[in-house]
């Protein structure tokens, strides 16, 4: 499949390592949001002329009220869904990281052990089940001090008509 003229988005997961475990921070979209009830990392659509790293920095600032240096963003992968490309970044959180309070975008913000995805996958968007194992592998590389994280690529494909309709509905909500 050709990956030209794509709509660009960024997705950012804050991560931490505690007692040998890998954790990701996610919130649930607030009830008045287009993706209400779904759990995810932070991010959004790129503005015209903005690259995915600039988008990631802007989205984190908007949703957290904190500005991070671009060096804090580690690009770990890409997700392709027909005409959409989502670049996936992580920020490794230090011990002084404060979980943001619920805000207009997210509620029920908390840390999840990425290896226990059965706890949160049913609340995530269709297709995230393909991303989480790859994200876990990238976190393992970082935990083991691998200098250059091997970026993953996930090409979403709809196995059923129902899945295809659900993803189209979500994309329409995002890009309306």
């Amino acid at each position: 499949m050709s990956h030209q003229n794509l709509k660009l988005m960024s997705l950012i997961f804050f991560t931490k390592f505690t007692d040998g475990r890998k954790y990701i921070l996610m919130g649930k979209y607030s009830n008045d949001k287009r993706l209400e009830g779904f759990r995810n990392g932070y991010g959004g659509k790129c503005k015209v002329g903005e690259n995915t790293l600039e988008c990631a920095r802007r989205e984190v600032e908007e949703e957290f009220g904190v500005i991070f240096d671009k060096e804090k963003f580690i690009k770990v992968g890409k997700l392709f869904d027909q005409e959409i490309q989502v670049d996936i970044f992580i920020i490794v959180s230090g011990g002084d990281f404060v979980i943001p309070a619920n805000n207009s975008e997210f509620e029920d913000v908390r840390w999840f052990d990425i290896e226990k995805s059965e706890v949160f996958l049913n609340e995530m968007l269709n297709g995230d089940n393909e991303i989480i194992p790859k994200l876990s592998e990238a976190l393992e590389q970082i935990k083991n001090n691998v200098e250059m994280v091997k970026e993953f690529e996930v090409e979403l494909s709809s196995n059923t008509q129902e899945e295809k309709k659900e993803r189209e509905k979500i994309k329409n909500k995002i890009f309306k």
Side-chain angles (χ1 to χ4, degrees), residues 14-18 23 25 68 72 90-99 111:
F14 286 84
T15 63
K16 71 176 183 177
F17 304 102
T18 304
Y23 292 87
L25 184 69
F68 285 93
K72 292 278 189 187
I90 63 164
I91 297 175
V92 178
S93 305
D96 59 347
F97 184 79
V98 177
I99 294 178
W111 293 105

Side-chain angles (χ1 to χ4, degrees), residues 129-145:
N129 60 314
E130 296 182 48
I131 298 170
I132 294 300
K134 305 272 188 196
L135 186 60
S136 180
E137 290 172 21
L139 290 175
E140 192 65 30
Q141 291 176 50
I142 291 167
K143 186 175 122 184
N144 293 324
N145 296 316

Side-chain angles (χ1 to χ4, degrees), residues 116-133:
K116 296 181 179 176
S117 60
E118 69 277 1
V119 172
F120 57 82
L121 267 180
N122 64 328
E123 297 179 320
M124 295 184 78
L125 295 167
N126 184 352
D128 284 345
N129 60 314
E130 296 182 48
I131 298 170
I132 294 300

